[in-house]
Amino acid sequence: MQDISIFITNTIKNISISSILDIAVVAYLFYKGYMLIRGTRAEQLLKGIMFMVFLIPVSYLLNLEVVNFILNKTLTVGLISVVIIFQPEIRRVLEHIGRRAFDEVYNIEDQEERSIVINEIVTAVKNLSDSKTGALLVIEQATGLGEIIGTGTILDAKISSNLLENIFVVNTPLHDGATIIRKDRIIASGCVLPLTNNDKIDKKLGTRHRAAIGLSEVSDSINIIVSEETGIISLAINGKLTRNYDAEKLRIILLHLLKNKEKKNVKSAGERVKSWIRIKKIKE
């Protein structure tokens, strides 16, 4: 017991500031990496790999030679295949780092112009909601959506509520798919988005909602969804879906999100939306 206490004391004495910083950085990276894959299939794969790693010393101690051999060989091959298995998550991590490392390209800097754009979007969304016309609008942020834009029809038109409403008229060519907004322009419509693989999402949600969540998982875009069944307005940001917005709440949230982007306040947007709504309710 005394030897253990001496070992711990000597270890503490030998810890330097650089060692503490090193441990803190590694712990933060592991934490952020886990937060990025939480709720996805990769989380279950990671748990399986950790369980296999735990079984290797156990099988060795219990003298289970065949089990130990199989686990060691499987883990050796598994390390090579991890890059392939976790390719979507690795891409998300790199994009996440890139968004934080460089200036944001597609943000509207002028406050008056930003308010005009948001008012046009909110007006269109409200009218679409009232008529129960399904819609999916994507506001591009730091992550470029060139690949997504390439799947649709290029418009590159000045944003207006009338044009947005007309795009989503039922049985028109651009009705299905997403409309991409960059700064004060409608860049493309009828775009195809990646569907989310999250199996914890409400089964009642349709393809439009799943596509919005899917894009929000791999980019920092702001995704606005109008349900064609109920007219409910939803937001998908950072892999999180929040629902039941009215025009005023949507306007406040968009102003808040885009203003925070300008200040480079990059907290979890999904949580920020929820907390902002709670603050508004308390004030009211």
Side-chain angles (χ1 to χ4, degrees):
M1 190 70 180
Q2 187 176 0
D3 292 339
I4 295 173
S5 64
I6 292 172
F7 173 76
I8 293 172
T9 304
N10 290 334
T11 302
I12 293 172
K13 287 180 179 178
N14 292 328
I15 293 177
S16 62
I17 295 176
S18 61
S19 298
I20 296 173
L21 180 62
D22 194 19
I23 294 169
V25 169
V26 171
Y28 177 77
L29 290 174
F30 272 104
Y31 169 74
K32 294 303 292 184
Y34 176 74
M35 292 300 290
L36 284 170
I37 67 170
R38 188 176 63 173
T40 66
R41 288 184 298 179
E43 182 182 11
Q44 303 305 318
L45 289 171
L46 183 62
K47 288 178 181 178
I49 292 171
M50 291 176 65
F51 182 67
M52 287 180 62
V53 172
F54 170 75
L55 285 179
I56 289 175
V58 173
S59 63
Y60 177 78
L61 291 172
L62 296 177
N63 201 27
L64 303 174
E65 294 181 2
V66 177
V67 174
N68 186 265
F69 174 80
I70 293 172
L71 288 173
N72 273 298
K73 295 300 180 183
T74 303
L75 196 62
T76 302
V77 176
L79 290 174
I80 300 172
S81 59
V82 159
V83 176
I84 301 171
I85 295 172
F86 287 94
Q87 186 271 336
E89 284 69 32
I90 293 172
R91 178 175 175 174
R92 286 179 60 197
V93 171
L94 293 175
E95 287 178 344
H96 188 75
I97 293 170
R99 290 201 300 267
R100 300 206 173 200
F102 299 98
D103 291 338
E104 288 150 8
V105 179
Y106 303 120
N107 189 47
I108 303 172
E109 297 179 359
D110 184 77
Q111 184 175 351
E112 185 178 351
E113 183 182 358
R114 185 167 59 236
S115 297
I116 293 171
V117 169
I118 289 174
N119 286 336
E120 292 294 330
I121 292 172
V122 170
T123 300
V125 170
K126 180 183 182 302
N127 292 337
L128 291 166
S129 173
D130 291 342
S131 62
K132 292 185 179 180
T133 302
L136 176 50
L137 285 76
V138 177
I139 302 175
E140 188 179 37
Q141 296 291 288
T143 303
L145 301 177
E147 293 179 3
I148 303 297
I149 291 169
T151 65
T153 301
I154 304 297
L155 299 179
D156 196 16
K158 184 75 174 178
I159 192 168
S160 72
S161 58
N162 290 333
L163 179 55
L164 285 173
E165 290 175 50
N166 192 66
I167 287 171
F168 292 106
V169 171
V170 180
N171 296 326
T172 56
L174 301 180
H175 167 69
D176 289 325
T179 291
I180 312 296
I181 297 171
R182 177 185 291 169
K183 289 191 175 182
D184 62 340
R185 302 191 71 79
I186 301 171
I187 297 299
S189 290
C191 299
V192 180
L193 307 187
L195 297 179
T196 180
N197 292 319
N198 191 343
D199 57 3
K200 296 180 181 179
I201 295 173
D202 190 342
K203 303 299 182 185
K204 295 179 181 179
L205 296 177
T207 305
R208 190 174 281 112
H209 291 82
R210 293 178 180 275
I213 296 170
L215 182 61
S216 74
E217 289 172 344
V218 296
S219 75
D220 62 345
S221 60
I222 300 172
N223 306 275
I224 307 169
I225 314 102
V226 179
S227 171
E228 62 183 11
E229 286 84 13
T230 62
I232 290 175
I233 301 170
S234 306
L235 272 178
I237 306 169
N238 283 359
K240 305 292 183 181
L241 184 73
T242 51
R243 308 191 69 195
N244 296 309
Y245 288 87
D246 57 25
E248 186 57 28
K249 280 184 180 178
L250 181 63
R251 180 180 287 104
I252 291 170
I253 290 299
L254 291 179
L255 283 169
H256 182 63
L257 289 173
L258 295 177
K259 184 178 180 181
N260 277 349
K261 283 288 181 182
E262 182 185 4
K263 294 179 178 179
K264 302 194 184 302
N265 181 7
V266 283
K267 297 178 181 177
S268 171
E271 294 300 319
R272 188 169 65 236
V273 168
K274 293 179 182 178
S275 64
W276 184 256
I277 293 172
R278 286 196 293 268
I279 291 169
K280 283 297 296 178
K281 286 182 177 178
I282 291 170
K283 288 182 178 179
E284 290 170 359

